[in-house]
Amino acid sequence: MGIFSVLVFVCCCYCSFGWREEDQPVQTFVIPHSHMDVGWVYTIQESMHAYAANVYSSVTEELSKVKERRFIAVEQEFFRLWWDTVASDLQKKQVQQLVNDGRLEFILGGQVMHDEAVTDLEDQILQMTEGHGFLYQTFGVRPQFSWHVDPFGASATTPVLFALAGFNAHLISRIDYDLKDAMQRNKKLQFVWRGSPSLAAQQEIFTHTMDQFSYCTPSHLPFSNSSGFYWNGVALFPNPPKDGVYPNMSVPVTKETIDAYAKTMVENIKQRAAWFRTNHVLWPWGCDKQFYNSSVQFRNMDPLMKYINQKSKEFGVTVQYATLSQYFQAVHQANLTWDVRGSRDFLPYSTEPHQAWTGFYASRNVLKGLARRASSQLRAAEILFTRYRVNYPDGPVAKEWALDKLRALRWAVSEVQHHDGITGTESPKVADMYVQHLMQGMMGVQELQAALFLLPHDLGDPENFHGADVDQPLEQHVIIYNPLAWNITTVVNLTVKLAGAAVFDDEGQPVPAQIQRSAQSNVSYDLFVVVKLGGLQHRKYLIRFSGKSAHTYEGKTVVFERRRVKDWTRTGRLRLPVLNQCYKLMFDQETNLLHSITHLYSPTKRRVRMTQDFWEYLANGDVNAGPISDNYIFSANGSAVRAYQAVEMQIIPGQIVTEIRQYFYRGENDSDYAYFITTVVPEFSSLPCHRLQQTYSLGPLQLNTEVVLRTSTSLKNNKTLYTDDNGFQMMKRTYRKFQNNTLARNYFPMVRTASIKDELSGLVLLSDRAHGVSSQANGQLEVMLHRRLWNNQPWNLGYNLTLNDSSVVRPSLWMLLGSVNATSRLHQREAVELQHRPIVMPIDNPRKPWQEKTSCGSPVHPVVFPPNLHLLSLSVLGWNYSSNHSIHLSHILSGKGAPPEPDYDRVLLRIMHLYEEGEDPELSKPVTINIKEVLRGMGEVMILEERSLTGTWENASLKRWKWKTANDHEKKKESHQGHKDFILTISPKEIRTFFVHFSSRNLA
Ligand SMILES: [Zn+2]
């Protein structure tokens, strides 16, 4: 039916113009490109040296020689490194000219081509903002098309963000092999995608799915042993060859070979033309690490294209060098009516029946956790610096120094979002590189935070701040800072070295606390402190270690001896309750496992049977014995097996929290445990009682095991689960049966949230880093926490991609259980609160002024947003382009470029509505706020301009292309875009971006 209707439609369309499709030669857009992974097998430095710098040097030279030649530049990190450290003045001039002429086109424009499965939307936006800011400042251009050719599966968040960034079309490639096959046959590779159910047509985008050849030129030539159209061969590491002769260079185009080349190319073009509705073929010319020797590339392709065009009648094909925008313009001008795709994504992703790319959701857990922590720290520091700039424009913290620290961490957090970065699919040395860049950036930002907190009263040299452990004898000061624009009451766990402690706030009032022996160390103690902070506020706390305090409860450990666990012992006859205002948790004394949780806080009380424990998938390491698991692929070799024989338990009942510690032993008599769960149940009355905080410890794992935390419940979810796309929206995941590999193909990425539910209750897990999740049995939710693998596949071994990860990992999950309504109201905010937990900064040797009540810095007024709005970003970007495009352009065209001084007064503000339409009766409503009012605690807002997502464009003048769809009449009227007198209304799932100027005040 699909094919038939399409054919009829195409025929009608063309017949009405009096000519037939077949009469026209296929118009082919040959798009030269180089896929440059910002990481993967080689470090960035190695890549720059071996090929990446040569790509831009040689492309600049070759494009400048012949005006028909084109190139698209994609990953900004390499381009910027080249621009800043390699390019000569002449090359910079040439690039400027090529960009102005549209011969060199920046596509996508992010620092990297970010992964779509395991990245958080806040980081996706960050890395795009970073790249777009550079491009706009330097060239006055904004990228308008995407080129997501390599991320492993496609998320429904991406089309939304790209629409918000002002893109006219989106391009993806890696989707399930069987689905792509069907779409190809039915000419359905192109469609209009409405990625968000709430935003729908408001942020829809035309999407092109690459055909089966994907982003590389066909790699086989029938007349030669060499591969494809790669005349410059393959990049050589570590050094480029001195004689310019690279391995595997294709036979040159000569009189003898030109006809064979032409026929091969034409045949391929015609094969592809049959899969698309218009008469245009996108023919990507390039692949990984190509065009480092552009001269030989173009020298061969120029005559070949000329030859084909001379015989275009005979071949039925014309060819031209093109940028991506030229291709999309042609398709757009065809003015066809396109199918609409709703908010479904393309995750997970399989390349073959036994190749499910669901392993990487859990590869390199430590890197995934670090990347998220770094991002959260960056956001907190950005807000802090913004506040400082507004209040102390002439304050003693040097703004250049501060911006450098922020920029270094922006760069590191952007870089790791690469699709071979946070995914964990890189070689060990590249993983080490990301970690090093992140750690360096975080240290710099900690220095900055220390400087900002201690000033203006204490002008201590930030370089001399030690950020030491909380282990000062007798007295210790800490600053606790809430980076959220909501008031919070929460519990902060400080690790201390002494057993008795009293905590006081900055007004000298005692603060409720609890102290007990640390879960994982014999020499330290966990001090749980109840903190109450306004939005974006910080407070100073004093800890006195001398003696006891009436306000500090001393937790005493109750030990439950080791129990051997067998299925038949799970009788639940001897149960031990742990109670708070929201829950009654029952632990089974015969197994030391969780037995059930009754949720008490919803209108409907209900007891849900629930067990949590660890299971292992045993991976195959021998390619000759069957499918293997590696960095990318999860290929279960049978069902999971229970990973322990015995469990020990400790319970520390308390007044602030009750803590349950469960130690899982692989062997009944082992001396060391293999897995560990600690569950913190809030007891203090002002704490949110629904939040059960769990932390796990596992590793080093045995080789070829993939470990899951399995939560088995009595919920009747029919193996359906819900997982989030990038923390932006929840996707329903219905269990699907496949001929092969059903287990692995039912694994999904969890960035922040996974949940299961039945009619009465929902169970939600929130995460501080990405994992793989699945529901393999009714009522079950399993989270893959860690993997350690090795296999003998030559490709894996050659690139060191077997994932022999011997680290110990300590991820956290927050668990919510309640009525379906209660959990669907809570989980968005809880996920954000987990992401942006309070920042704790110990202060060494607090100096005099800090001891006085009057000196807790400036009055820090709270900034509080409505509960359904999240302050996504508040940051002094430092880019110095004019907000007025014509003025900025005239600066650039005058040859002077943008002024060198960063703009410290323009603040980027981003606000997100957290709820979907209809998700909650109250919280899903549009919210109207007065920006002047909500930001008053920060300063006086004078100017507010609405901008595109990455800040580079005035929102009102974006004018994205419209693409016709069958149900155009269903398009909603434009929502409440724009604002008047600082008053704006934000609708469900909207992300709104502004430039804000505050009136200058100087409190210093
Ligand atoms: Zn790649």
Side-chain angles (χ1 to χ4, degrees):
M1 150 89 197
I3 297 177
F4 180 73
S5 62
V6 166
L7 288 179
V8 168
F9 178 82
V10 169
C11 179
C12 295
C13 189
Y14 283 100
C15 294
S16 63
F17 288 96
W19 45 271
R20 294 187 319 133
E21 189 185 16
E22 306 86 81
D23 297 340
Q24 297 297 316
V26 176
Q27 194 182 355
T28 312
F29 296 80
V30 175
I31 301 183
H33 78 101
S34 181
H35 183 69
M36 300 159 78
D37 285 308
V38 186
W40 193 34
V41 176
Y42 302 101
T43 66
I44 287 153
Q45 258 194 322
E46 289 172 328
S47 303
M48 277 299 284
H49 178 69
Y51 81 95
N54 286 338
V55 170
Y56 291 112
S57 295
S58 71
V59 161
T60 304
E61 189 179 340
E62 291 306 311
L63 260 58
S64 299
K65 279 186 197 159
V66 178
K67 73 174 193 317
E68 284 76 23
R69 293 172 177 171
R70 300 281 182 275
F71 194 76
I72 59 167
V74 183
E75 299 83 1
Q76 281 310 301
E77 179 157 335
F78 283 124
F79 181 82
R80 287 176 71 178
L81 288 172
W82 175 79
W83 183 261
D84 288 340
T85 63
V86 180
S88 65
D89 286 347
L90 173 66
Q91 285 170 323
K92 288 186 178 183
K93 275 206 181 101
Q94 288 174 321
V95 168
Q96 185 76 63
Q97 190 61 49
L98 294 170
V99 173
N100 291 349
D101 296 348
R103 291 148 68 191
L104 175 66
E105 187 169 85
F106 292 105
I107 295 298
L108 194 61
Q111 285 289 94
V112 299
M113 185 185 294
H114 66 244
D115 165 70
E116 298 196 31
V118 297
T119 46
D120 190 278
L121 92 148
E122 297 191 13
D123 303 326
Q124 298 177 346
I125 296 172
L126 174 82
Q127 77 89 12
M128 300 236 303
T129 303
E130 184 62 25
H132 286 194
F134 165 80
L135 284 175
Y136 188 65
Q137 174 173 286
T138 313
F139 302 106
V141 296
R142 69 175 167 99
Q144 302 188 28
F145 303 93
S146 100
W147 182 259
H148 257 217
V149 299
D150 204 25
F152 320 139
S155 154
T157 307
T158 318
V160 179
L161 296 187
F162 287 174
L164 287 165
F167 287 10
N168 292 313
H170 177 32
L171 182 147
I172 59 175
S173 183
R174 290 186 178 270
I175 63 169
D176 273 340
Y177 69 101
D178 39 5
L179 179 61
K180 181 178 273 197
D181 196 41
M183 287 163 76
Q184 228 172 237
R185 269 185 279 114
N186 300 328
K187 296 195 182 191
K188 300 269 189 192
L189 289 166
Q190 295 165 315
F191 48 87
V192 169
W193 199 352
R194 295 179 184 164
S196 156
S198 297
L199 301 175
Q202 190 190 324
Q203 301 301 345
E204 69 185 18
I205 191 165
F206 178 80
T207 304
H208 171 102
T209 314
M210 284 184 145
D211 60 39
Q212 66 186 49
F213 293 98
S214 193
Y215 64 87
C216 292
T217 319
S219 59
H220 173 69
L221 296 175
F223 54 91
S224 145
N225 289 333
S226 301
S227 59
F229 296 73
Y230 306 114
W231 290 285
N232 64 188
V234 244
L236 200 61
F237 284 82
N239 298 310
K242 289 213 168 66
D243 57 3
V245 179
Y246 284 83
N248 211 22
M249 294 170 88
S250 283
V251 288
V253 173
T254 58
K255 261 190 215 144
E256 290 72 38
T257 60
I258 196 161
D259 195 62
Y261 264 116
K263 283 182 171 141
T264 305
M265 188 165 171
V266 166
E267 192 185 332
N268 179 260
I269 290 166
K270 286 184 150 172
Q271 184 186 4
R272 300 163 90 153
W275 300 326
F276 292 92
R277 290 178 57 200
T278 72
N279 202 29
H280 314 107
V281 165
L282 187 165
W283 206 79
W285 177 33
C287 199
D288 291 25
K289 309 181 193 73
Q290 283 292 309
F291 282 89
Y292 46 82
N293 187 351
S294 302
S295 152
V296 68
Q297 288 281 83
F298 285 111
R299 209 166 54 222
N300 284 283
M301 188 54 106
D302 286 353
L304 175 58
M305 290 183 33
K306 196 170 163 198
Y307 181 83
I308 292 173
N309 284 336
Q310 280 166 352
K311 298 183 168 223
S312 67
K313 271 227 163 74
E314 178 189 329
F315 285 143
V317 160
T318 64
V319 287
Q320 67 186 97
Y321 289 126
T323 61
L324 186 60
S325 74
Q326 288 175 286
Y327 170 73
F328 276 127
Q329 266 161 16
V331 176
H332 186 240
Q333 277 160 13
N335 202 23
L336 302 188
T337 299
W338 300 98
D339 284 349
V340 169
R341 182 181 180 88
S343 57
R344 288 169 300 142
D345 61 8
F346 295 95
L347 291 166
Y349 158 65
S350 288
T351 44
E352 287 171 46
H354 283 285
Q355 308 264 296
W357 293 42
T358 55
F360 80 89
Y361 304 157
S363 294
R364 296 203 190 283
N365 177 284
V366 172
L367 179 64
K368 285 179 164 72
L370 180 67
R372 285 274 278 279
R373 212 165 65 239
S375 152
S376 159
Q377 192 182 36
L378 172 63
R379 178 184 164 283
E382 296 272 11
I383 295 172
L384 210 58
F385 178 61
T386 304
R387 172 167 243 156
Y388 183 84
R389 275 295 304 166
V390 172
N391 289 318
Y392 312 105
D394 304 321
V397 175
K399 53 186 193 291
E400 300 82 5
W401 175 81
L403 192 60
D404 278 351
K405 300 286 179 199
L406 293 170
R407 280 178 168 162
L409 190 54
R410 286 176 197 165
W411 188 284
V413 172
S414 296
E415 173 185 278
V416 76
Q417 307 308 320
H418 171 61
H419 57 268
D420 286 304
I422 196 168
T423 48
T425 55
E426 65 280 77
S427 65
K429 71 175 166 190
V430 175
D432 291 346
M433 175 200 72
Y434 292 125
V435 168
Q436 196 202 352
H437 293 176
L438 288 166
M439 297 291 277
Q440 272 173 355
M442 288 167 83
M443 270 161 56
V445 159
Q446 271 161 13
E447 280 176 31
L448 171 63
Q449 279 175 341
L452 296 173
F453 277 132
L454 293 179
L455 291 169
H457 295 277
D458 184 336
L459 307 187
D461 176 3
E463 300 292 341
N464 285 336
F465 181 83
H466 302 300
D469 294 332
V470 187
D471 60 359
Q472 294 293 308
L474 304 177
E475 214 172 87
Q476 173 68 55
H477 293 253
V478 292
I479 286 176
I480 303 181
Y481 161 46
N482 169 24
L484 290 171
W486 298 320
N487 298 333
I488 58 162
T489 304
T490 188
V491 62
V492 169
N493 181 2
L494 307 172
T495 304
V496 296
K497 294 281 164 64
L498 294 167
V503 185
F504 301 90
D505 66 16
D506 46 9
E507 292 177 338
Q509 295 300 312
V511 175
Q514 178 175 326
I515 193 160
Q516 59 210 37
R517 277 222 173 268
S518 178
Q520 291 184 60
S521 155
N522 285 329
V523 293
S524 55
Y525 294 83
D526 289 338
L527 176 65
F528 294 95
V529 182
V530 177
V531 298
K532 213 176 154 175
L533 292 162
L536 307 188
Q537 262 188 326
H538 61 267
R539 290 185 82 172
K540 190 189 63 161
Y541 293 83
L542 168 68
I543 307 162
R544 286 221 171 90
F545 293 106
S546 45
K548 298 193 176 224
S549 157
H551 298 276
T552 303
Y553 177 84
E554 286 182 33
K556 294 276 182 291
T557 308
V558 184
V559 178
F560 298 82
E561 65 182 42
R562 192 178 298 195
R563 293 288 188 181
R564 183 177 161 80
V565 175
K566 281 187 173 173
D567 279 324
W568 56 267
T569 61
R570 296 185 176 198
T571 53
R573 283 169 305 186
L574 270 172
R575 287 182 237 159
L576 192 80
V578 173
L579 260 161
N580 79 352
Q581 287 167 298
C582 288
Y583 302 117
K584 184 162 90 177
L585 291 86
M586 287 291 203
F587 290 86
D588 187 339
Q589 286 194 60
E590 285 174 293
T591 59
N592 287 333
L593 293 171
L594 180 64
H595 172 272
S596 60
I597 302 181
T598 308
H599 55 84
L600 311 167
Y601 67 108
S602 314
T604 45
K605 285 185 193 174
R606 183 185 175 197
R607 192 188 79 161
V608 177
R609 282 278 277 126
M610 194 186 297
T611 307
Q612 281 190 306
D613 57 0
F614 295 95
W615 293 68
E616 288 174 351
Y617 290 100
L618 306 176
N620 168 34
D622 180 4
V623 280
N624 303 312
I628 47 108
S629 270
D630 65 9
N631 292 33
Y632 306 86
I633 288 161
F634 172 44
S635 177
N637 190 21
S639 307
V641 292
R642 183 177 292 126
Y644 62 97
Q645 286 183 350
V647 184
E648 264 172 30
M649 180 167 65
Q650 298 176 0
I651 296 186
I652 303 109
Q655 291 178 354
I656 306 296
V657 297
T658 290
E659 190 178 349
I660 301 106
R661 300 169 180 171
Q662 290 164 295
Y663 302 84
F664 294 74
Y665 293 84
R666 175 179 286 281
E668 196 181 353
N669 301 311
D670 285 1
S671 54
D672 293 325
Y673 59 85
Y675 305 108
F676 173 60
I677 307 180
T678 165
T679 306
V680 172
V681 181
E683 301 284 356
F684 194 71
S685 59
S686 60
L687 292 173
C689 65
H690 52 256
R691 185 188 297 164
L692 299 171
Q693 302 191 28
Q694 294 197 318
T695 306
Y696 317 88
S697 175
L698 52 155
L701 301 185
Q702 297 196 339
L703 200 57
N704 285 336
T705 50
E706 300 171 78
V707 178
V708 299
L709 170 79
R710 189 175 273 181
T711 306
S712 307
T713 74
S714 54
L715 297 180
K716 295 175 183 63
N717 74 322
N718 198 24
K719 301 197 224 178
T720 296
L721 76 160
Y722 297 80
T723 67
D724 63 323
D725 267 9
N726 318 104
F728 180 66
Q729 54 187 348
M730 295 303 288
M731 313 300 289
K732 184 175 182 177
R733 310 297 193 183
T734 313
Y735 189 85
R736 292 194 299 161
K737 275 216 157 81
F738 298 91
Q739 264 186 346
N740 302 293
N741 220 13
T742 294
L743 199 162
R745 289 186 85 172
N746 277 292
Y747 250 84
F748 300 92
M750 161 197 203
V751 175
R752 291 186 191 173
T753 313
S755 75
I756 56 173
K757 65 182 181 187
D758 61 15
E759 280 169 17
L760 293 175
S761 310
L763 168 74
V764 181
L765 297 181
L766 303 163
S767 182
D768 67 343
R769 66 197 69 183
H771 303 286
V773 286
S774 189
S775 181
Q776 296 283 344
N778 203 10
Q780 226 174 55
L781 182 55
E782 66 180 38
V783 182
M784 189 176 285
L785 293 180
H786 197 11
R787 5 181 21 229
R788 181 179 182 183
L789 303 164
W790 185 88
N791 68 74
N792 58 3
Q793 192 196 56
W795 185 83
N796 263 318
L797 291 176
Y799 285 141
N800 203 354
L801 297 175
T802 65
L803 199 69
N804 191 352
D805 175 2
S806 59
S807 47
V808 177
V809 305
R810 293 196 174 83
S812 294
L813 293 174
W814 288 1
M815 183 158 65
L816 315 172
L817 179 75
S819 70
V820 173
N821 286 345
T823 50
S824 76
R825 184 174 66 244
L826 283 170
H827 75 84
Q828 297 86 343
R829 274 174 60 101
E830 286 289 309
V832 174
E833 288 198 36
L834 172 57
Q835 182 103 326
H836 300 294
R837 281 166 286 184
I839 306 277
V840 177
M841 294 213 76
I843 311 168
D844 268 3
N845 304 320
R847 295 165 202 189
K848 259 260 143 64
W850 275 90
Q851 317 247 331
E852 295 155 18
K853 192 182 153 193
T854 49
S855 68
C856 358
S858 59
V860 182
H861 299 293
V863 171
V864 182
F865 278 35
N868 42 7
L869 296 187
H870 169 43
L871 171 62
L872 211 55
S873 334
L874 191 70
S875 147
V876 175
L877 288 178
W879 298 115
N880 58 358
Y881 49 79
S882 166
S883 297
N884 180 310
H885 183 60
S886 350
I887 293 175
H888 180 52
L889 221 51
S890 71
H891 277 151
I892 289 175
L893 294 177
S894 71
K896 285 183 289 194
E901 171 77 357
D903 184 340
Y904 289 98
D905 297 322
R906 183 166 59 201
V907 174
L908 177 121
L909 164 71
R910 239 184 240 117
I911 304 172
M912 172 179 173
H913 194 302
L914 289 175
Y915 287 77
E916 296 282 0
E917 253 177 22
E919 202 170 16
D920 184 82
E922 277 309 307
L923 296 166
S924 289
K925 289 179 180 162
V927 209
T928 301
I929 54 170
N930 182 331
I931 279 290
K932 248 182 164 23
E933 288 305 317
V934 290
L935 289 181
R936 194 170 295 284
M938 174 83 59
E940 168 101 22
V941 174
M942 302 305 285
I943 301 171
L944 181 72
E945 317 166 56
E946 182 142 21
R947 306 291 292 186
S948 61
L949 181 71
T950 56
T952 49
W953 214 260
E954 187 196 6
N955 199 51
S957 63
L958 265 182
K959 297 197 175 60
R960 298 174 56 229
W961 296 354
K962 301 262 184 273
W963 297 78
K964 260 200 312 194
T965 57
N967 52 353
D968 268 354
H969 57 279
E970 286 175 16
K971 285 188 183 172
K972 291 193 299 189
K973 58 183 184 311
E974 287 293 290
S975 80
H976 317 80
Q977 295 285 321
H979 55 89
K980 196 166 174 269
D981 301 335
F982 303 98
I983 293 171
L984 56 119
T985 299
I986 305 181
S987 299
K989 282 295 163 192
E990 277 189 342
I991 298 173
R992 307 275 293 272
T993 305
F994 304 91
F995 281 159
V996 177
H997 288 257
F998 289 88
S999 93
S1000 182
R1001 58 178 179 183
N1002 209 340
L1003 301 177

